[in-house]
Structures are given as structure tokens and as C-alpha cells.
């Protein structure tokens, strides 16, 4: 591996700029900042105390919210006082380092930009010995969740002052390497390992095999609330900045609000993330000697023209096929009278990867019963293995169902816009002869297979259950708030939460999801679709669709995870048994927390505060009034700070769909539970002849339901 050169100097054009920045910041930056930390405080006419207090509260909560995944988007307040905060760590950061970077960046931006309503900081702790310094994290706050034109076009370049000897070959390698990494970045969820962050890619390109430092190393990253198209556009624009300012220089970086890139001829990131390095392209590839907008890349054209032809043909095929289907049959769920469906149809079509039907038949052993993973309302799902050994899951939609085609279209439209580690990855589609959708394979099947099987449920200790709850919440936060296109799932349930090899949850099946645009917050559909037991009352009865519909479903799943019971079945085998929600509510009011916890947890470690917190969150999410249910961002804060935030919460009231039990207190067997001095809940099935209920119907404990 090439060794790192001595600390290079800045180019002449940036030396004065760096000196001015360093001198300006020296009086306001704490010791945790370095001269390489860059900030952009946009001018503002006014900023009130309420707005700024919301910003500070969000910045304080950001490290714990973003550290597990490297990204978080939070909001707080109402009206003109509402504040939005985003935080992103570099894709190769560990959670511990990410939390430290974000904490220091949050303090830095408060000191630098406390009179601005919109600001950003690119944080570096000064620990490196290279210039330009790496960007460890990015933090921004604003009074809206939308980027301004200024932020979309913001590009701040820095250059390595040293130059290479063969500038022409170096620049050719830069073009080929960057073009490849841009595509990896926007499709990183489809190509990266489970440990690699989405919207992030690294790679190397050999421009001089004989030179000791003849390899170029590049790192690209986008904000995760950008769509793939926005990320690609941002990176393509940033690619053109370095050639303009820094032609032939050994490296440089470009800072932006929505993306970031850096190149150097030495290593500065985890090389385990790299793919095979690209070699220096032959001189005949290019027309012209200097990088610019008018130069033509013949290799790019040779690849792009056939690929573009295939994609165009596929789009035309989809259009003609859909028009033929609509002539023969109008889908009942999307008739002309359903105004909501017309809004769904307005969402643009995006072309996914095309698979060959013959290859998919071979991969699934011609869709044999042995390979069947499950079946749903629109088709069966089969396991497959591609020729290179990659395992996939193939959904085979009903061949003559126009409703299945509508689901296919809806899934493809959303898949091109939604990329998150807690969403199932769509790999591609085949429209030849059959309608087939190809997904990543999830070896642990669905969460439903664990909750419905008493034996498999024992494999879910409390730590795994809590991690699954947090993962589902992160997926919903992305769908509802972090994605530029607000998406309501409409059918969130355990069978649509899949588990990968590491038991990480991923939300799946967006066939009936509803996409909102602009500031739309709710809609009404004439034909509610979903699963009883997980549908909110306003959606089941009146067709009202909103983010709070999904939060109701999430609350049911949380309580199912705690109790180990299904909500759409009786709590026991007796004919007069109560539902799961009723059981939880009655025991919550009585203060009998132990009676709510799944007995299969046995003597496993169950932190009382976490269990209590999850029960309370679940009850808040299943409130009858949608306005009383928390947003996904509030749930994430409650999950990360169960004790410090508890005083700010309203008390859960009686949930929806709670019915009185036919059993009397004397008929219902009691379970007792003992808590040790370390706050760990101990579960047992022994009957108790005494009650722990006080006159005010709460347990005598330091953690009381309110």
C-alpha cells in the first residue's frame, strides 16, 4: 500500500482564503474545533428565542439519534418556530466516533451561527496530518425541511497544493473513477455490505503503476434524505468543480449541503470498503486533453447509448402493456372515481434493473414449491440463487391480475426513490412473459415467523426485540420525514418486517403504499386496504390516510414484541378471552407490568426502564385520536432517552379497539415478577395470592404509568 506523503501545501489560490478563515474562527472556536472545520452561516433578518431553543434542543439530541446509523433528521416546534436539524457522519465512522463528532459539531455550530435561521458545519477535529483535512461529519439546521436554491448550488472546494507529473493520465483516471463511484453511491444499497452506509462509496484508480503513489483514492457521500436522482445530480456537479479549480493537483475536496467528495493519492479511509481498483484508461479514450464540459468520453458513450436504448424500450413496453391492460379491465381499487389513485399515478415512473426471465426461472428452479418462501394477496415469493451465488427473493405476481400490475408499478416507482438500511432493497424487475420483482434475500424471513412460533420466539431475547423496534422506527422516520417523498406504508405488520442475517429489520412490500407530495399530510381513499388488527380506526372506518395511520400499526407491533402475543387473535384459547390491546391496557392501569411481558423471555436480561418505555410508547401510538399519537421522530427520541424525556410526555389514555373482559379478577390467574436491585425485570409463571395494586390503581414503584 502506498505510504502517505509529507504534509502538502495549499495551492496559491486558496492560501489566503484559509488564512482569513482561520483568523476569523480563532476567536469563536473551542479547543475541539480545528482550523479545518468549515461553516456556512446564512444571513438572517431575525431569529427569536423560541426557534433557537428548539434548534439547541435538537442539536443536543442529535448525537444519540444519529450515532447508531450515522444519520438522523429531527424536527421540533410549530409554525415559524419549528426547527429542523440534520446530521451525517462519514460512512466509515464507528458509532462511538460518530457521536463524538456530532457532539463537537453541534457545539461548534451553536457558537458560530447563533444569529442565523439556516446554517451548516463540516466538522474536522484536526487530528489528521493531511491538507485538505477530511470531513468527519456534517450538521445543519434550518427553519424548513426543504433545501433552498442557494444550498442546492453551494460548493466549497479545497485543493492539495502539490501537482502530479502526468496530469493528462491523472485526469483521465479521475473521470473514470468518479463516474464509477457516482453510480455506486446512488445504488449503494444494492451493492454495499450490511456494514457499509447507504449513499456512500469509496474506490481507487491506478493512474501510474510504476509510481510509489500512483493510485488515486476517492470518497463520495450524499445526505440520506436525498433521492438517488438528487444525489447523482449533486455529485456530477461537484465532479466538475475540482477540474475547474485544481487541474493536475494531487487531490482536493468539495463540500456541499447535499453531497461531499474527496480525492487524494494516499489513503485516508477504511480500504476494506473499496472494490477492485480501476486502471488508467488508454489515451485514445478521450477527445481533447483537458477536462471540461465540451470534452466527449467515448467509453461513456459506448456504454450509455446501448443502455439508454434498453431502458427506453423498457419504459415504452411498460406504457404499452399498461395501456392494453387498462383497455381490457379497470382495476376496481383504482377506478376513475378514486381521487387518491390519480395522485398516486402522478408520481413519475423510474426504471429499475432489468432481469432476464430465463435466468430467474433457473435461479428459482422454475419456481418450485421447495423454493417457495411465502405467498401474499398479489402473488407468491420464491428463493433464488443467481449464477454468481447471490441469493435473491423473487415475487411472482399473478399473471392476469391488473391489480397486481398496479402493485408492481407502485413498488417500482417508490423503490427508485427510497434507499435506507431499514427498507428491503429492490434489485430489479422482469416484464418478459411474467411480472416478476427481485428483492434482496432475507434469511431470517419475517418477524411474523418468530412471533407466531413459540419455539422461534424464544430466540428473540430482549436486546434483539428492542433493536428490532428501533430499526422499524428508523425505517418509518425515513419514510415519513427524511425522504423527500413522504410515504405512508398502509400495511405495516410483522409479516411485512423482514429480518436479515444479523436480525436487522427491514420494512417490505410497498405495493399499496401512498406517496404524498409537497406539504400534504393526509388523504382519503374510498377503499381502505390493509390487515385487521393493524389498521387504525380512522383508516379502517373512514379511509383517512396519514403518517399517524402507520404509527398506529407500529404501536401494535411494539406491544406484540413486548407481550409475544398477536393483536389479531385472542389473547388465550378461551372463548371469552380479551384482545392483546385490552390485556395490555388493563394491566397498565393496574400497574402489573410483569403480567404484560412475554413469559418466553424467561430469565433473560430485561432492563425495566426499556420495557416500561416500550409499553408506554406502544400505548401512545395506538391512541384512538390520531392527534394523540407521536410522530416517528418523537418516537426515536423517546426510544433513545427513556428517562430524561418522560416528563414531557402526555399520559396514554384508553387505546382504540379495547373491549372489556368477560373474566373477573378472581377468574384471571396472576403472575408475579420480581425485580432485582439492578433494575432488571425477572419473569416467572408462579401464581400469587396477593395484589400489588394500590388504591389509585398504579403499582408502588418508581416507574409509574401516568
Amino acid at each position: 500500500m502506498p505510504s502517505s506523503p509529507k504534509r502538502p501545501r495549499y495551492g496559491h489560490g486558496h492560501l489566503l482564503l484559509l488564512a482569513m478563515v482561520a483568523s476569523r474562527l480563532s476567536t469563536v472556536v473551542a479547543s475541539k474545533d480545528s482550523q479545518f472545520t468549515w461553516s456556512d452561516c446564512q444571513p438572517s433578518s431575525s431569529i427569536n428565542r423560541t426557534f433557537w431553543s428548539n434548534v439547541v434542543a435538537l442539536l443536543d439530541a442529535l448525537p444519540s439519534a444519529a450515532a447508531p446509523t450515522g444519520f438522523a433528521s429531527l424536527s421540533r416546534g410549530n409554525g415559524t418556530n419549528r426547527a429542523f436539524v440534520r446530521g451525517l457522519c462519514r460512512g466509515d465512522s464507528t458509532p462511538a466516533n460518530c457521536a463524538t463528532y456530532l457532539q463537537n459539531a453541534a457545539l461548534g455550530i451553536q457558537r458560530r451561527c447563533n444569529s442565523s435561521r439556516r446554517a451548516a458545519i463540516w466538522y474536522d477535529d484536526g487530528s489528521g496530518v493531511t491538507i485538505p483535512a477530511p470531513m468527519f461529519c456534517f450538521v445543519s439546521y434550518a427553519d424548513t425541511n426543504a433545501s433552498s436554491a442557494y444550498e442546492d448550488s453551494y460548493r466549497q472546494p479545497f485543493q492539495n497544493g502539490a501537482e502530479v507529473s502526468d496530469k493528462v493520465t491523472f485526469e483521465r483516471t479521475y473521470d473514470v473513477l468518479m463516474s464509477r463511484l457516482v453510480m455506486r453511491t446512488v445504488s449503494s444499497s444494492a451493492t454495499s455490505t450490511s456494514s457499509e452506509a447507504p449513499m456512500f462509496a469509496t474506490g481507487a484508480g491506478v493512474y501510474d503503476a510504476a509510481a510509489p503513489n500512483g493510485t488515486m483514492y476517492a470518497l463520495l457521500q450524499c445526505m440520506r434524505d436525498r433521492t438517488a436522482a438528487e444525489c447523482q445530480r449533486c455529485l456530477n456537479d461537484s465532479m466538475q468543480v475540482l477540474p475547474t479549480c485544481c487541474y493536475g493537483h494531487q487531490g482536493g475536496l468539495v463540500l456541499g449541503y447535499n453531497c461531499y467528495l474527496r480525492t487524494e493519492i494516499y489513503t485516508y479511509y477504511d480500504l476494506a470498503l473499496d472494490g477492485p481498483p480501476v486502471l488508467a484508461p488508454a489515451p485514445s479514450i478521450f477527445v481533447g486533453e483537458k477536462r471540461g464540459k465540451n470534452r466527449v468520453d467515448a467509453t461513456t458513450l459506448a456504454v450509455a447509448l446501448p443502455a439508454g436504448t434498453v431502458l427506453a424500450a423498457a419504459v415504452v413496453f411498460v406504457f404499452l402493456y399498461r395501456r392494453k391492460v387498462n383497455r381490457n379491465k379497470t382495476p376496481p381499487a383504482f377506478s376513475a372515481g378514486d381521487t387518491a389513485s390519480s395522485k398516486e399515478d402522478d408520481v413519475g415512473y423510474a426504471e429499475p434493473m432489468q432481469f432476464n426471465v430465463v435466468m430467474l426461472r433457473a435461479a428459482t428452479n422454475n419456481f418450485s414449491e421447495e423454493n417457495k418462501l411465502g405467498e401474499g394477496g398479489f402473488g407468491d415469493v420464491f428463493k433464488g440463487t443467481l449464477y454468481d451465488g447471490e441469493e435473491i427473493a423473487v415475487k411472482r405476481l399473478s399473471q392476469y391480475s391488473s391489480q397486481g400490475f398496479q402493485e408492481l408499478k407502485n413498488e417500482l416507482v417508490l423503490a427508485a426513490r427510497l434507499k435506507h438500511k431499514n427498507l428491503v432493497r429492490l434489485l430489479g424487475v422482469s416484464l418478459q412473459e411474467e411480472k416478476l420483482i427481485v428483492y434482496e434475500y432475507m434469511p431470517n424471513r419475517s418477524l411474523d415467523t418468530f412471533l407466531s412460533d413459540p419455539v422461534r420466539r424464544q430466540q428473540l431475547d430482549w436486546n434483539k426485540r428492542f433493536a428490532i423496534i428501533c430499526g422499524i422506527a428508523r425505517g418509518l422516520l425515513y419514510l415519513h420525514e427524511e425522504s423527500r417523498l413522504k410515504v405512508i406504508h398502509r400495511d405495516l405488520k410483522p409479516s411485512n418486517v423482514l429480518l436479515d442475517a444479523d436480525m436487522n429489520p427491514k420494512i417490505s412490500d410497498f405495493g399499496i403504499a401512498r406517496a404524498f407530495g409537497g406539504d400534504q399530510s393526509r388523504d382519503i381513499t374510498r377503499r381502505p386496504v390493509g390487515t385487521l388488527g393493524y389498521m387504525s380506526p380512522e383508516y379502517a372506518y373512514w379511509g383517512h390516510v396519514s403518517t399517524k395511520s402507520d404509527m398506529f400499526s407500529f404501536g401494535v407491533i411494539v406491544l406484540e414484541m413486548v407481550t409475544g402475543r398477536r393483536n389479531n387473535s385472542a389473547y388465550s384459547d378461551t372463548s371469552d378471552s380479551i384482545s392483546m390491546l385490552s390485556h395490555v391496557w388493563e394491566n397498565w392501569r393496574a400497574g402489573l407490568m410483569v403480567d404484560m411481558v412475554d413469559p418466553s423471555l424467561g430469565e433473560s436480561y430485561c432492563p425495566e426502564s426499556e420495557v416500561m418505555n416500550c409499553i408506554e410508547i406502544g400505548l401512545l401510538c395506538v391512541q384512538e385520536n390520531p392527534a394523540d399519537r407521536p410522530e416517528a421522530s418523537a418516537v426515536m427520541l423517546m426510544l433513545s432517552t427513556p428517562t430524561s424525556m418522560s416528563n414531557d410526555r402526555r399520559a396514554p389514555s384508553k387505546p382504540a379497539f379495547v373491549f372489556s373482559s368477560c373474566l373477573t379478577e378472581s377468574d384471571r390467574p396472576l403472575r408475579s415478577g420480581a425485580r432485582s436491585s439492578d433494575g432488571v425485570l425477572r419473569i416467572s409463571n408462579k401464581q400469587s395470592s396477593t395484589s400489588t395494586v394500590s388504591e389509585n390503581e398504579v403499582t408502588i414503584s418508581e416507574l409509574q404509568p401516568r
Side-chain angles (χ1 to χ4, degrees):
M1 186 57 59
S3 60
S4 299
K6 295 182 179 179
R7 180 183 179 109
R9 66 184 185 278
Y10 271 95
H12 180 74
H14 286 83
L15 185 60
L16 179 60
L17 175 62
L18 178 61
M20 293 173 61
V21 172
S23 63
R24 180 175 68 87
L25 299 181
S26 60
T27 59
V28 296
V29 179
S31 59
K32 285 293 184 180
D33 285 336
S34 76
Q35 67 186 62
F36 310 118
T37 293
W38 184 263
S39 61
D40 179 45
C41 309
Q42 301 179 37
S44 178
S45 58
S46 64
I47 179 172
N48 61 55
R49 181 176 300 178
T50 304
F51 171 78
W52 185 245
S53 65
N54 288 334
V55 171
V56 172
L58 291 175
L59 290 173
D60 291 343
L62 183 63
S64 61
T69 62
F71 175 77
S73 176
L74 309 175
S75 66
R76 177 186 173 114
N78 299 296
T80 58
N81 295 323
R82 189 174 186 186
F84 297 84
V85 166
R86 296 188 302 169
L88 175 74
C89 287
R90 210 172 72 179
D92 57 349
S93 301
T94 64
N97 288 340
C98 179
T100 301
Y101 299 151
L102 290 172
Q103 183 178 13
N104 293 334
L107 294 174
I109 199 173
Q110 291 179 55
R111 287 188 293 269
R112 299 174 183 221
C113 306
N114 53 23
S115 60
S116 300
R117 289 185 67 88
R118 301 178 74 98
I121 187 170
W122 294 262
Y123 173 77
D124 172 69
D125 64 1
S127 61
V129 296
T130 57
I131 300 177
M135 187 277 293
F136 287 125
C137 76
F138 168 83
V139 174
S140 68
Y141 71 81
D143 50 11
T144 177
N145 202 28
S147 295
S148 65
Y150 166 81
E151 292 165 352
D152 285 337
S153 61
Y154 183 91
R155 301 290 185 277
Q156 179 58 55
F158 293 98
Q159 65 173 332
N160 184 322
E163 298 183 0
V164 296
S165 56
D166 187 353
K167 296 183 179 181
V168 173
T169 304
F170 184 85
E171 293 299 308
R172 292 171 183 163
T173 304
Y174 174 90
D175 277 348
V176 175
L177 177 61
M178 281 298 182
S179 298
R180 186 191 71 174
L181 290 182
V182 167
M183 298 311 298
R184 277 191 59 196
T185 304
V186 299
S187 60
S188 59
S189 293
T191 59
S192 64
T193 63
S194 59
S195 61
E196 188 176 344
M199 293 290 188
F200 173 80
T202 62
V206 178
Y207 67 91
D208 187 350
N213 291 304
T215 302
M216 176 189 301
Y217 299 92
L219 180 150
L220 288 72
Q221 187 167 16
C222 286
M223 293 297 294
R224 297 189 203 168
D225 56 356
R226 305 297 94 173
T227 66
E230 290 169 334
C231 175
Q232 185 173 3
R233 183 167 56 249
C234 182
L235 290 174
N236 284 337
D237 291 344
S238 297
M239 279 176 55
Q240 304 302 320
V241 174
L242 281 183
T244 303
C245 74
C246 323
Y247 181 82
H249 285 258
Q250 291 182 356
L253 61 88
V254 180
L255 304 177
Y257 273 77
N258 296 319
C259 67
Y260 158 85
L261 65 83
R262 185 187 183 200
T263 64
E264 292 293 349
I265 62 170
Y266 50 84
T267 60
Y268 54 94
Y269 57 81
D270 184 0
L271 289 179
L273 303 176
D274 276 355
V278 299
L279 300 178
S284 60
I285 289 180
F286 299 99
V287 178
E289 292 296 317
K290 212 173 179 183
R291 179 168 22 190
K293 293 184 178 179
N294 296 326
R295 191 181 66 185
V296 178
D297 186 338
T299 299
T300 301
L301 288 177
V303 175
L305 287 177
T309 304
V310 172
L311 295 184
V315 173
V316 171
F317 178 85
V318 171
F319 173 77
L320 294 176
Y321 184 93
R322 183 172 181 269
R323 184 172 65 176
K324 179 180 179 181
V325 170
N326 288 339
R327 284 177 178 174
N328 297 331
K329 181 177 180 181
T330 301
F334 296 90
S335 61
D338 192 342
T339 58
S341 67
S342 63
K343 294 179 181 179
E344 290 177 353
D345 290 343
D346 289 339
V347 181
Y349 179 78
E351 178 67 22
M353 178 180 178
Q354 299 290 316
F355 279 84
N356 185 289
V357 65
V358 176
M359 177 179 65
L360 294 180
R361 285 175 177 168
T364 60
N365 194 19
N366 200 23
F367 304 106
S368 65
E369 284 294 321
E370 293 79 8
N371 284 42
K372 181 181 286 190
L373 297 174
E375 54 187 47
F378 301 124
D380 301 332
V381 181
F382 298 84
K383 178 183 177 181
T385 304
L386 298 177
Y387 65 92
D388 61 355
E390 180 183 5
E391 294 181 321
I392 58 174
V394 183
K395 180 185 284 187
R396 189 187 196 186
L397 299 184
S398 177
Q399 193 167 4
Y400 303 103
S401 170
S402 57
Q403 189 175 19
F405 186 82
Q406 179 62 39
E407 184 201 40
L408 166 66
K409 178 206 164 191
N410 202 47
E411 187 105 15
L412 299 185
V413 167
L414 294 178
R417 297 172 176 240
L418 303 175
K419 300 289 183 182
H420 191 270
K421 67 175 295 184
N422 294 116
L423 303 184
V424 169
R425 210 167 64 232
L426 185 145
L427 302 180
V429 64
S430 174
L431 300 178
Q432 305 165 350
E433 303 177 27
E434 295 189 72
K435 294 172 285 186
L436 306 171
I437 311 179
V438 183
Y439 304 90
E440 63 174 322
Y441 174 66
M442 306 294 284
N444 279 311
R445 306 289 184 92
S446 71
L447 179 60
D448 179 70
T449 62
F450 284 87
L451 294 179
S452 60
D453 187 338
V455 177
R456 297 197 73 191
R457 195 165 69 243
Q458 295 179 11
Q459 302 174 24
L460 292 178
D461 59 25
W462 175 252
N463 288 335
K464 290 179 181 178
R465 298 189 193 207
F466 186 72
I468 291 172
I469 291 172
C470 293
I472 299 172
R474 283 194 294 268
L476 284 178
L477 175 61
Y478 172 79
L479 293 176
H480 293 174
E481 301 181 32
E482 293 178 354
S483 170
R484 292 295 296 273
L485 189 65
K486 182 182 294 184
V487 176
I488 315 301
H489 189 278
R490 292 207 292 174
D491 197 20
L492 186 65
K493 57 185 177 180
S495 60
N496 283 336
V497 176
L498 305 185
L499 303 171
D500 66 12
D502 298 319
M503 297 297 286
N504 296 311
K506 300 194 178 188
I507 301 173
S508 69
D509 201 345
F510 291 87
I512 62 173
R514 178 67 57 87
F516 286 176
D519 296 329
Q520 185 182 8
S521 60
R522 56 173 290 188
D523 206 343
I524 300 177
T525 179
R526 290 173 53 188
R527 291 176 57 95
V529 289
T531 304
L532 291 178
Y534 303 93
M535 298 171 67
S536 63
E538 75 277 3
Y539 178 50
Y541 294 148
W542 302 293
H544 292 182
V545 181
S546 70
T547 56
K548 298 302 184 71
S549 309
D550 281 351
M551 297 314 298
F552 182 92
S553 306
F554 172 76
V556 174
I557 294 176
V558 170
L559 296 177
E560 288 183 334
M561 294 290 287
V562 174
T563 64
R565 302 283 184 165
R566 302 295 302 278
N567 188 48
N568 55 4
S569 61
Y571 197 80
S572 70
D573 295 333
T574 59
S575 59
D576 54 357
S577 176
I578 61 175
S579 67
M580 186 272 292
L581 289 182
S582 300
H583 175 81
V584 171
W585 175 243
E586 288 187 6
N587 283 278
W588 173 264
R589 292 175 65 239
L592 301 177
M593 186 178 72
V594 174
D595 280 12
M596 292 181 272
V597 180
D598 184 4
S600 67
L601 286 171
E603 295 297 321
S604 64
Y605 178 80
C606 297
E608 181 179 335
S609 60
E610 281 187 0
V611 176
M612 196 76 162
N613 190 43
C614 287
I615 295 173
E616 185 174 5
I617 291 172
L619 288 174
L620 287 172
C621 288
V622 296
Q623 296 293 284
E624 185 170 2
N625 186 352
D628 293 337
R629 302 172 203 154
E631 299 282 0
S633 56
V635 167
M636 284 302 303
L637 287 175
M638 287 189 282
L639 287 170
S640 60
T641 54
T643 55
S644 61
M645 298 293 291
S646 59
N647 292 332
D648 298 332
R649 302 181 197 171
R650 60 176 299 276
S653 57
K654 183 178 179 181
F657 305 123
V658 168
F659 310 101
S660 299
S661 170
C662 297
L663 299 177
T664 65
E665 290 297 328
S666 60
D667 294 329
R668 188 181 295 112
L670 297 177
R671 290 197 308 268
S672 65
R675 289 184 292 271
S676 64
S677 59
D678 60 357
V680 176
L681 188 65
R682 305 298 182 188
I683 311 298
S684 67
N685 291 319
K686 299 177 181 179
Q687 291 189 353
S688 173
S689 59
T690 61
S691 174
T692 60
V693 182
S694 61
E695 292 182 357
N696 62 353
E697 295 187 332
V698 295
T699 183
I700 304 173
S701 171
E702 72 279 7
L703 292 174
Q704 299 183 12
R706 298 176 303 284

